[in-house]
Amino acid sequence: MHALQKLFPPTEFALLAVILLLPLLGAIVNGVFGKRLGKEAVTTMALFAIGGSFVASLASFWLLASAQSAAHAKGSEEAVRFLWKGWEWVRISGRHDMAQLPLAIDFSYDALSGVMSLVVTGVGFLIHLYSTKYMDKDPSYHRFFAYLNLFIFSMLVLILGNSLPVLFVGWEGVGLCSYLLIGFWFDDEKNAAAGKKAFITNRIGDFGLIVAMALLVYYVGSLDWSGIEGGRSNLLTRVQMWPVGNQVPGTGFLQASMPSVAEALNRPRFVSAASLVGLALFLGCAGKSAQFPLYVWLPDAMAGPTPVSALIHAATMVTAGVYLVCRMAGVFVLSPAVMFTIALVGAGTALLAASIAFVQNDIKKVLAYSTVSQLGYMFLGVGVGAFSAGFFHVLTHAFFKACLFLAAGSVIYAMHKRIHDTDASQDMRNMGGMKKYMPKTFAAFAMAWVAIIGVPGTSGFFSKDEILFKAYTSSVAMPVAGGKIMDPRSGKVALELWGWPSWGPTVLYAMGVLGAVMTAFYMSRLVFGIFWGDFKGWKIVKGWKEPEHDEHHDDHHEHGPIEGPKPKESPWQITVPILILGALSIGAGFLNAHPVHIAPLDHFLEPVFKFANGAKDVAVAGGKGPGVALHPNAHGLMWPLMLPGLLALVAGAGGAFWVYVQQAGGPAKALAEKLPGLHALVYDKWRIDELYEETIIGAVDSLAEFAVVFDRIVVDGIVARVTAFIVAASGTGLRLIQTGHTQAYAAVMVVGVGGLGWFFVAPHAAATVKPDEASGSYQITAAPGLGYQYRWDSDGDGKPDSAEFGSQASLPVNLERGEQKTVVLEVKNAFERVSKKRVTLFRPKADASAGGPGVVQIEQGPDGQLRGVVPGQNKPIELRRPAPPPPGGPGALPVPPGLRMAPQPPGRPNPAEPHQHQPGDVH
Amino acid sequence: MMGQLVQHYVLLSTVIFMIGAVGFLVRRNILVQLMSIELMLNAVNLALVAFNRQHQGNMNGHMFAFFIMAVAAAEAAVGLAILLAFYRLKGSVNSDEAETLKH
């Protein structure tokens, strides 16, 4: 242990490089050489890369945990952060009054990224192992593992990046891998389209992330985690959103006729910079984590292979948004409005997606909507300020949803072996009674199922219960009365924050409980549909024929269509990972089991979220900044609030049992027949895709069509033809010159050489001026040439200073302020030819206009008195200290009118002073 | 005195060079053109040697003149070989007929 600690000190934690680079190595080796290496080598490389990364993550986690407990023992509440500095990438210029901001490729490792990287590499390893069998028969086996390793690398960059730009690189990387893997079987048009949809929808979110980074550079002046934490109080400034500019365009004429309307239209509206940053960040999170309105890509993403759905679209990548909210918790809590938006969007998405999951028949689609819904839960959790609860749900969801997807994949694997049809092998209506045939898969699926519906004691119960509990008891409150933050200088209201409505927690809690009922119902429907009842997939066995009812029929055929092989249990590479994940879904709850007071994870993450709880470090005049506040009676409400959650479980799961097991789906069919319109609407996912198709995609399409017409008529028709004509005409003209007669070319050459000779025979007078306005000494330097001799006329009276030409190539000139002078330079070359040049010099006055800016230097005399001195003038300016201190604070000195205070030494160029002369400027 | 002498040589060199240049541009017989080139090269040689008189103790001009002679010999060899090949191809030594490069 000591050796490890010595090898990897906290400020140069090179173990992060091992975690990061192993998957990258795997991706490169498998991607470049995979085809020649063969299947065995590809498998070894991929598993070794991710496994090594997992081991390194474990070691890092252990080092972090011991460092954190050591720090805790010393009484430090600071979050321990291991750093590994790569290199400086670029420097960007921020606000005009700011130094250049370096963007460094740095990685850091703290409690949040530690837990996350364990999930990514651990679950990632199990899914890699699973894929070795699942993708066994695929001809692009090596390509699959190259992408998968590249994904792990990108995800680790996202998690371990120490600043937003590095995170963004990973963010885009996982987006790319998601696109590549969704469209893995790209020869099917549908899969390629799904990949494209995911990519483009994510781009909309990424735009928000870029905007957020720009805003943070502007307001905070930093993009790395500690810099943002340190400077986040700068976000509590107001930004005018409306009107853009001075007034709403076109309201000028209203001023006279209807002044009240004009005033109402032009009334300025403000938001805090924190809200802008928070909303922009949340747009990014909503894109990546499939929240309303950008969730539409995730269900389509199930076109990819099932391990991909488990790894990327359930366990890791889609939780990146939640991770980002947790990471930027300190920024988000500064805006109660954004936090409420996040919670509301999360709860709304949870309900919307759950309602769609009710009626889907494709088992992967059900799980996809379930993922969207569970992600909504996570955002509900982080939105109410329960960051560790939301993050805990990320963790448990990674286990049970990965398990569900992989177990569903095992079912699909078994079905596909019989049917050889992708869609049919995912259709729930072809399954049933599978628990007889696939007991291990069923055991894993059932473990994850009881976790997701929240059976007490399982991980899902603890994480969901914690979120529901916090939805009611936790909110973002403003310790400042009324949310009014005062400007310390003017004493006026600088920023007015929007407070949470009193009905907020109740509504969020109710939505959460309703979502829990729906989750329990549709998940139970899925489980009952796959594993209970009789197997319904016999009829679609390839090559199986309807028994012919002819005269030769025997008894065997009369007993029903039992033909073809039975579904078989999957091999160990598939069952072992899902059983491990199933066990984790059951047991992981005790990482954060608040009702039984076992919460090591919460304790571990506490330092990371410390600055979000109460926002104590954001001091504003008249109190503290906004922060997370708990219900006064939160502790007493824990058990009462658990009851609705349990009732939701009983209602949902019991209802599904009654409908789908006892009545064999009868009531559901009856309801669908009774309300065919509603059923069709929900089955078509509320037709939100169609809505987007009509509005946004339609608008883009018509823009594209316009562009095509514009291209055809204007670009091709006019621009291209005119250009082609010019080129053709000049070609025709130039062809006349090219005669092919050597002598004609030689004649042109003779003329050219003659011209050059003439140029060299003639002298050329040219001069550069090096001005020094402060001292008034100007230097004129004549351009050199072969055999040149110079003669100057420094007073500009038309007579040269000396009759003879000499070798003096430069002339110093001294000018008073405001003086103008003309100097004549004459140059003679070796052929006795002379050329002349007039140079006019002008030195500007001290103040370009009376009362304009100048420089006063404040000095302390030997008597201790302060004096003001204008550089270049020897007259001291008397300074008086007025009786009452000005509002700018003590120490401010009155400045004589027309002079600007500048605490800088003389000689430094004053940016406010107009520069009439630049070096090389010649009049 | 010496400057005067050099001036005469340079003047002679210019005249020979102009004769060569005009001859190259005006005549169509490739053989005559080659001879014109020789004239120009030797005019330059003359100028170099004449100028070298002004820089006593320094033989750069002479050295360049020898270089030019060597180059001129090579040029004549190559030029005459091209002329022979051209004559075999076209049956003429008229430079106007050497215009294949135009196309």
Side-chain angles (χ1 to χ4, degrees):
Chain A
M1 173 169 182
H2 268 292
L4 264 184
Q5 273 171 341
K6 216 172 248 174
L7 197 59
F8 302 115
T11 49
E12 214 172 304
F13 198 71
L15 206 53
L16 292 186
V18 179
I19 300 179
L20 281 166
L21 293 179
L22 273 177
L24 182 64
L25 181 75
I28 291 171
V29 169
N30 281 346
V32 178
F33 310 107
K35 207 161 198 172
R36 268 161 284 168
L37 283 176
K39 202 168 268 185
E40 289 298 310
V42 169
T43 310
T44 316
M45 183 70 232
L47 288 182
F48 168 76
I50 177 77
S53 192
F54 178 59
V55 171
S57 297
L58 271 178
S60 310
F61 190 81
W62 177 53
L63 284 173
L64 182 80
S66 48
Q68 195 149 308
S69 58
H72 197 72
K74 279 185 201 152
S76 163
E77 285 189 5
E78 286 297 306
V80 178
R81 181 171 283 156
F82 292 161
L83 267 179
W84 179 61
K85 289 183 191 280
W87 63 94
E88 190 180 299
W89 183 11
V90 283
R91 277 171 181 270
I92 55 168
S93 50
R95 216 154 57 165
H96 59 87
D97 56 348
M98 216 173 65
Q100 288 227 311
L101 178 67
L103 296 187
I105 305 287
D106 288 352
F107 295 94
S108 69
Y109 191 88
D110 64 1
L112 190 63
S113 40
V115 175
M116 199 77 182
S117 66
L118 272 187
V119 172
V120 169
T121 51
V123 175
F125 178 75
L126 292 177
I127 292 174
H128 272 65
L129 180 62
Y130 177 97
S131 310
T132 56
K133 197 72 207 171
Y134 192 87
M135 301 301 289
D136 198 19
K137 300 275 168 4
D138 200 281
S140 300
Y141 188 80
H142 64 283
R143 188 163 60 93
F144 181 80
F145 278 97
Y147 290 166
L148 221 52
N149 274 354
L150 187 63
F151 167 77
I152 296 283
F153 167 71
S154 310
M155 191 70 205
L156 288 168
V157 169
L158 195 162
I159 294 165
L160 299 175
N162 190 39
S163 62
L164 268 179
V166 180
L167 176 140
F168 189 68
V169 171
W171 189 273
E172 292 295 302
V174 292
L176 169 72
C177 294
S178 162
Y179 162 77
L180 292 172
L181 284 162
I182 294 169
F184 185 71
W185 294 311
F186 52 78
D187 17 344
D188 189 345
E189 176 80 37
K190 189 173 59 104
N191 300 345
K196 215 162 60 183
K197 185 174 177 182
F199 200 74
I200 292 170
T201 315
N202 266 302
R203 295 301 310 162
I204 299 172
D206 298 343
F207 167 72
L209 196 48
I210 294 171
V211 169
M213 282 196 274
L215 286 170
L216 281 171
V217 167
Y218 187 81
Y219 286 106
V220 178
S222 179
L223 285 174
D224 60 279
W225 307 143
S226 49
I228 292 173
E229 281 161 31
R232 70 199 173 104
S233 54
N234 293 330
L235 287 170
L236 283 175
T237 48
R238 67 177 187 177
V239 182
Q240 185 176 334
M241 293 304 287
W242 181 267
V244 182
N246 291 326
Q247 62 171 20
V248 181
T251 52
F253 75 95
L254 282 174
Q255 294 284 11
S257 52
M258 284 177 285
S260 59
V261 176
E263 202 207 335
L265 275 175
N266 281 328
R267 186 183 305 138
R269 315 207 181 243
F270 301 99
V271 294
S272 73
S275 294
L276 285 182
V277 172
L279 277 180
L281 280 175
F282 181 58
L283 181 63
C285 298
K288 190 67 58 189
S289 290
Q291 292 300 290
F292 185 81
L294 298 177
Y295 71 94
V296 288
W297 65 271
L298 186 56
D300 286 24
M302 299 304 135
T306 307
V308 171
S309 309
L311 179 62
I312 301 185
H313 305 120
T316 54
M317 184 189 84
V318 288
T319 58
V322 187
Y323 168 78
L324 184 59
V325 178
C326 289
R327 180 53 80 197
M328 305 294 282
V331 170
F332 278 103
V333 289
L334 294 182
S335 175
V338 170
M339 289 292 274
F340 193 67
T341 311
I342 295 175
L344 209 56
V345 167
T349 311
L351 290 183
L352 179 76
S355 71
I356 300 172
F358 269 3
V359 291
Q360 300 300 316
N361 288 320
D362 185 324
I363 60 174
K364 282 182 74 180
K365 277 273 159 69
V366 175
L367 290 176
Y369 281 107
S370 160
T371 306
V372 177
S373 172
Q374 295 300 311
L375 287 166
Y377 266 103
M378 296 169 204
F379 277 105
L380 170 63
V382 293
V384 298
F387 296 104
S388 66
F391 188 69
F392 182 47
H393 202 57
V394 169
L395 190 68
T396 59
H397 177 258
F399 295 143
F400 60 67
K401 189 53 66 65
C403 178
L404 283 172
F405 262 113
L406 294 183
S410 169
V411 172
I412 294 165
Y413 185 76
M415 293 290 288
H416 198 271
K417 274 195 162 171
R418 305 174 61 253
I419 306 172
H420 300 287
D421 178 276
T422 311
D423 285 335
S425 59
Q426 297 182 9
D427 197 322
M428 202 158 76
R429 286 168 297 192
N430 296 331
M431 301 171 188
M434 300 284 265
K435 66 179 168 180
K436 271 201 298 272
Y437 307 110
M438 309 180 76
K440 287 178 197 158
T441 304
F442 170 67
F445 207 107
M447 284 193 276
W449 166 55
V450 295
I452 191 174
I453 65 176
V455 171
T458 59
S459 63
F461 167 76
F462 287 117
S463 60
K464 195 182 286 184
D465 182 64
E466 179 73 5
I467 286 177
L468 290 178
F469 167 64
K470 284 285 170 66
Y472 188 74
T473 58
S474 173
S475 61
V476 180
M478 286 157 294
V480 191
K484 287 194 175 87
I485 292 172
M486 301 295 177
D487 187 342
R489 269 160 299 181
S490 62
K492 286 186 197 146
V493 177
L495 175 68
E496 204 167 335
L497 291 170
W498 181 88
W500 280 37
S502 55
W503 47 264
T506 322
V507 166
L508 291 175
Y509 180 72
M511 288 170 91
V513 170
L514 184 59
V517 177
M518 293 164 88
T519 308
F521 187 86
Y522 71 74
M523 282 311 298
S524 305
R525 168 180 176 265
L526 181 69
V527 171
F528 296 147
I530 299 175
F531 294 102
W532 259 263
D534 296 321
F535 188 59
K536 300 188 273 292
W538 302 120
K539 283 199 173 185
I540 42 170
V541 175
K542 217 175 193 178
W544 185 84
K545 285 189 191 120
E546 195 77 31
E548 290 163 30
H549 290 282
D550 56 4
E551 54 274 291
H552 299 296
H553 75 88
D554 56 349
D555 284 355
H556 178 70
H557 278 232
E558 281 217 286
H559 281 292
I562 299 177
E563 286 273 332
K566 286 177 187 167
K568 266 188 286 191
E569 182 59 281
S570 306
W572 70 268
Q573 291 98 326
I574 288 184
T575 52
V576 167
I578 59 177
L579 284 170
I580 294 175
L581 285 169
L584 283 169
S585 343
I586 296 286
F590 289 95
L591 286 173
N592 212 18
H594 275 286
V596 290
H597 302 291
I598 308 170
L601 183 76
D602 220 6
H603 185 67
F604 187 61
L605 289 173
E606 205 180 358
V608 181
F609 298 131
K610 172 194 55 126
F611 62 92
N613 297 334
K616 288 187 187 63
D617 60 321
V618 182
V620 290
K624 310 276 184 203
V628 177
L630 276 184
H631 192 279
N633 193 21
H635 204 70
L637 284 171
M638 182 179 273
W639 292 98
L641 286 178
M642 198 181 289
L643 201 63
L646 288 174
L647 285 177
L649 160 70
V650 172
F657 186 73
W658 180 71
V659 171
Y660 292 101
V661 178
Q662 289 193 325
Q663 306 284 326
K669 270 191 204 120
L671 190 66
E673 272 158 24
K674 222 176 189 178
L675 299 165
L678 183 68
H679 179 261
L681 185 63
V682 180
Y683 186 75
D684 290 344
K685 312 152 212 165
W686 298 104
R687 304 221 171 91
I688 289 188
D689 277 334
E690 284 76 5
L691 178 72
Y692 288 171
E693 189 78 40
E694 288 298 318
T695 54
I696 299 163
I697 301 174
V700 173
D701 274 352
S702 44
L703 186 71
E705 270 157 32
F706 169 74
V708 166
V709 174
F710 183 85
D711 181 62
R712 201 176 299 142
I713 293 174
V714 178
V715 177
D716 286 356
I718 298 171
V719 178
R721 258 179 224 165
V722 168
T723 324
F725 175 76
I726 292 170
V727 171
S730 35
T732 312
L734 287 171
R735 205 177 300 137
L736 296 175
I737 301 173
Q738 198 190 0
T739 55
H741 295 284
T742 328
Q743 270 127 335
Y745 300 156
V748 171
M749 200 179 90
V750 165
V751 171
V753 169
L756 268 178
W758 180 253
F759 179 81
F760 282 114
V761 165
H764 301 278
T768 52
V769 180
K770 193 176 148 212
D772 184 358
E773 274 163 25
S775 67
S777 68
Y778 286 61
Q779 183 89 5
I780 310 173
T781 308
L786 264 178
Y788 276 16
Q789 285 180 303
Y790 308 98
R791 189 163 72 172
W792 296 90
D793 175 11
S794 54
D795 44 10
D797 59 354
K799 284 177 205 149
D801 297 349
S802 67
E804 293 295 309
F805 282 86
S807 62
Q808 184 197 356
S810 67
L811 182 74
V813 180
N814 275 309
L815 290 180
E816 293 296 316
R817 284 199 181 274
E819 194 189 352
Q820 183 173 330
K821 203 174 208 178
T822 304
V823 173
V824 180
L825 161 71
E826 286 176 87
V827 174
K828 190 176 81 171
N829 72 353
F831 295 100
E832 304 274 319
R833 300 178 64 91
V834 176
S835 163
K836 251 189 194 180
K837 172 95 194 170
R838 296 170 74 83
V839 182
T840 305
L841 301 172
F842 175 68
R843 185 180 174 197
K845 288 181 181 144
D847 352 1
S849 61
V855 177
V856 184
Q857 196 184 352
I858 309 288
E859 292 177 349
Q860 195 165 24
D863 50 354
Q865 284 292 103
L866 291 178
R867 290 178 304 161
V869 180
V870 179
Q873 292 181 17
N874 223 356
K875 278 184 289 181
I877 297 166
E878 194 190 340
L879 298 167
R880 290 181 307 272
R881 195 185 294 275
L893 293 159
V895 179
L899 288 167
R900 201 174 57 87
M901 293 268 288
Q904 60 202 21
R908 183 173 179 265
N910 192 335
E913 210 166 0
H915 273 269
Q916 268 96 346
H917 278 267
Q918 295 293 333
D921 211 356
V922 167
H923 297 267
Chain B
M1 179 64 193
M2 202 156 67
Q4 291 260 310
L5 204 65
V6 169
Q7 233 173 33
H8 292 152
Y9 278 113
V10 170
L11 211 62
L12 176 65
S13 151
T14 312
V15 168
I16 298 174
F17 187 88
M18 291 314 290
I19 291 170
V22 171
F24 181 82
L25 291 178
V26 176
R27 299 298 296 264
R28 290 290 179 270
N29 188 326
I30 299 177
L31 204 59
V32 178
Q33 282 184 308
L34 277 175
M35 292 196 291
S36 304
I37 292 171
E38 295 301 318
L39 268 186
M40 286 192 279
L41 286 167
N42 283 306
V44 172
N45 275 352
L46 186 58
L48 282 170
V49 173
F51 278 127
N52 202 63
R53 287 281 289 177
Q54 285 201 322
H55 300 275
Q56 299 284 351
N58 176 335
M59 304 298 272
N60 284 355
H62 293 268
M63 196 188 74
F64 270 114
F66 280 112
F67 269 115
I68 288 173
M69 280 179 205
V71 171
E75 177 257 354
V78 174
L80 286 169
I82 292 174
L83 172 69
L84 271 177
F86 180 71
Y87 180 74
R88 281 192 194 136
L89 192 70
K90 298 263 176 179
S92 140
V93 287
N94 191 340
S95 67
D96 278 354
E97 285 178 34
E99 52 170 11
T100 332
L101 273 180
K102 181 185 173 184
H103 307 294

